[in-house]
Amino acid sequence: DAGVTQSPTHLIKTRGQQVTLRCSPKSGHDTVSWYQQALGQGPQFIFQYYEEEERQRGNFPDRFSGHQFPNYSSELNVNALLLGDSALYLCASSLLPTSYEQYFGPGTRLTVT
Amino acid sequence: AQSVSQHNHHVILSEAASLELGCNYSYGGTVNLFWYVQYPGQHLQLLLKYFSGDPLVKGIKGFEAEFIKSKFSFNLRKPSVQWSDTAEYFCAVNPNFGNEKLTFGTGTRLTIIP
């Protein structure tokens, strides 16, 4: 039973560039949530996707966008990168509406220079 | 909006010492409560969870937590820590009406001295 997988593991980008991060949910899960974890902080909710639609969103600017595919995998896109976007980006999957538990992937470490 | 406070930022203990990490949340409704652990170089893992029922919940690796509704608290405990418990511990909450977003505390770094 494969857990949540994310790619790439690490990424280095320059300010102003755009980045796409990918996530495959745990087998059997249909919902994907994205979190940003800055150094020394707890994860902050970015948004959640269910049935290929953004279901809820945290306090992040429109530069952060996402997508969910029919196979439940998901992408997180960040445009016009800022130095402050450097963080660990976590993907979590779950099964709506029966489960309150979210399973986390290993994350993608994004460094913006 | 809900919020979670973890007042212990860094805790250092010797092996076999008892552990209690504080977690307080702010939310007016019914909540689900979680403790996650992040071992060095590893991803977030669920330690234990509380949805309803017995307010004393037991998780993996000998950890337990007690939900005290009147105090809006969900403190994590372990009677005797081991060196392998060195990790970052996060308390999290979400509203108990659906798979809503998790709100995390800032985390507590636990260092166990052999």
Side-chain angles (χ1 to χ4, degrees), chain B residues 58-91:
Chain B
K58 295 190 184 299
I60 60 172
K61 303 185 180 185
F63 285 91
E64 65 179 31
E66 184 176 12
F67 170 50
I68 303 179
K69 190 175 181 179
S70 61
K71 295 184 178 180
F72 298 90
S73 70
F74 189 56
N75 292 354
L76 181 70
R77 300 194 294 246
K78 185 171 183 178
S80 177
V81 294
Q82 301 172 307
W83 177 80
S84 58
D85 293 325
T86 295
E88 188 95 22
Y89 292 81
F90 294 94
C91 181

Side-chain angles (χ1 to χ4, degrees), chain B:
Chain B
Q2 63 232 40
S3 65
V4 178
S5 297
Q6 292 182 247
H7 303 295
N8 311 107
H9 297 294
H10 189 192
V11 173
I12 302 173
L13 294 172
S14 298
E15 274 192 318
S18 65
L19 169 72
E20 181 160 2
L21 301 183
C23 172
N24 289 91
Y25 68 94
S26 172
Y27 182 70
T30 306
V31 295
N32 301 315
L33 295 154
F34 306 83
W35 275 97
Y36 282 86
V37 61
Q38 196 169 32
Y39 296 105
Q42 297 188 28
H43 61 276
L44 274 170
Q45 301 172 38
L46 183 65
L47 258 185
L48 47 76
K49 63 200 179 206
Y50 173 79
F51 295 157
S52 63
D54 188 345
L56 183 62
V57 293
K58 295 190 184 299
I60 60 172
K61 303 185 180 185
F63 285 91
E64 65 179 31
E66 184 176 12
F67 170 50
I68 303 179
K69 190 175 181 179
S70 61
K71 295 184 178 180
F72 298 90
S73 70
F74 189 56
N75 292 354
L76 181 70
R77 300 194 294 246
K78 185 171 183 178
S80 177
V81 294
Q82 301 172 307
W83 177 80
S84 58
D85 293 325
T86 295
E88 188 95 22
Y89 292 81
F90 294 94
C91 181
V93 59
N94 70 3
N96 189 9
F97 55 77
N99 200 335
E100 303 298 326
K101 66 175 185 177
L102 282 168
T103 298
F104 284 85
T106 53
T108 296
R109 183 153 61 99
L110 176 64
T111 301
I112 306 300
I113 301 170

Side-chain angles (χ1 to χ4, degrees), chain A residues 1-7 22-29 32 73 91-94 102-107, chain B residues 43-44:
Chain A
D1 179 20
V4 179
T5 59
Q6 292 185 243
S7 63
R22 295 177 176 81
C23 171
S24 291
K26 180 178 169 65
S27 178
H29 285 182
V32 172
S73 66
C91 171
S93 74
S94 53
Q102 296 186 27
Y103 292 78
F104 284 82
Chain B
H43 61 276
L44 274 170

Side-chain angles (χ1 to χ4, degrees), chain A residues 35-98:
Chain A
Y35 293 82
Q36 180 195 66
Q37 185 178 14
L39 202 61
Q41 300 295 317
Q44 298 282 319
F45 176 77
I46 303 175
F47 42 53
Q48 183 183 78
Y49 277 84
Y50 173 64
E51 293 187 336
E52 301 181 48
E53 291 190 358
E54 186 179 289
R55 185 170 175 268
Q56 55 179 322
R57 188 179 183 92
N59 189 24
F60 279 80
D62 292 345
R63 298 187 296 109
F64 289 77
S65 63
H67 188 77
Q68 186 179 35
F69 299 94
N71 67 353
Y72 308 121
S73 66
S74 176
E75 288 182 350
L76 163 65
N77 300 292
V78 186
N79 294 322
L81 284 166
L82 304 174
L83 293 179
D85 295 331
S86 295
L88 182 67
Y89 288 84
L90 299 170
C91 171
S93 74
S94 53
L95 180 63
L96 274 181
T98 59

